[in-house]
């Protein structure tokens, strides 16, 4: 994918991904009904492992569960998942994070992981 196309897609997703706190879903996004679907779980686990590859020190996360999610088809499927994950090196309870992954046949792209309160991790 050309860099400018990827940036345009990322900008579009950022604008469309602004899901309000009430978790209403726009027409483009479809709420994921089965949060225990093995494919959804594998996407969440993969996203956390990709995040951990880019993090140094004690900020690595351990995936716990998917608590909410939506998907949209934009030249592949974009998953926006709210996950529970805990810091591997701390004894605090799991916190919620928003994970975005773009999934296309045989290709996945990590698009971001932020704390659910909107702060970047």
């Amino acid at each position: 994918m050309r860099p400018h196309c990827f940036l345009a897609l990322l900008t579009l997703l950022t604008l469309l991904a602004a899901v309000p706190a009430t978790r209403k879903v726009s027409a483009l996004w479809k709420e994921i009904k089965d949060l225990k679907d093995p494919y959804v779980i594998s996407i969440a686990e993969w996203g956390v492992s990709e995040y951990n590859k880019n993090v140094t020190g004690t900020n690595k996360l351990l995936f716990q569960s998917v608590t909410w999610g939506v998907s949209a088809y934009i030249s592949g499927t974009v998953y926006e998942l709210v996950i529970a994950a805990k810091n591997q090196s701390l004894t605090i309870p799991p916190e919620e994070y928003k994970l975005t992954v773009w999934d296309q046949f045989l290709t996945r792209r990590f698009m971001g992981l932020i704390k659910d309160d909107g702060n970047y991790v």
Side-chain angles (χ1 to χ4, degrees):
M1 181 178 271
R2 296 186 179 123
H4 64 280
C5 292
F6 180 70
L7 290 174
L9 177 64
L10 183 60
T11 302
L12 175 66
L13 293 174
T14 302
L15 293 173
L16 295 174
V19 180
T22 57
R23 304 226 164 130
K24 292 180 183 174
V25 181
S26 70
L28 178 66
W29 294 90
K30 305 291 183 220
E31 188 168 355
I32 298 171
K33 301 294 183 196
D34 184 9
L35 298 175
K36 296 190 184 298
D37 179 7
Y39 194 73
V40 173
I41 299 294
S42 73
I43 288 171
E45 289 173 339
W46 180 86
V48 171
S49 71
E50 286 297 304
Y51 169 79
N52 286 338
K53 288 179 186 176
N54 298 319
V55 173
T56 58
T58 61
N59 291 328
K60 294 189 184 281
L61 296 176
L62 180 63
F63 172 77
Q64 299 289 307
S65 64
V66 177
T67 59
W68 188 78
V70 290
S71 65
Y73 184 81
I74 304 172
S75 186
T77 304
V78 178
Y79 291 91
E80 181 127 331
L81 305 173
V82 176
I83 63 167
K86 59 187 273 187
N87 191 313
Q88 288 181 343
S89 61
L90 300 176
T91 58
I92 60 173
E95 297 179 298
E96 287 196 334
Y97 296 89
K98 187 186 290 183
L99 170 69
T100 307
V101 174
W102 178 71
D103 185 43
Q104 192 178 31
F105 182 71
L106 299 177
T107 304
R108 282 187 183 162
R109 204 173 286 260
F110 175 76
M111 300 189 72
L113 179 75
I114 57 173
K115 282 195 178 180
D116 199 30
D117 62 2
N119 295 328
Y120 283 94
V121 176

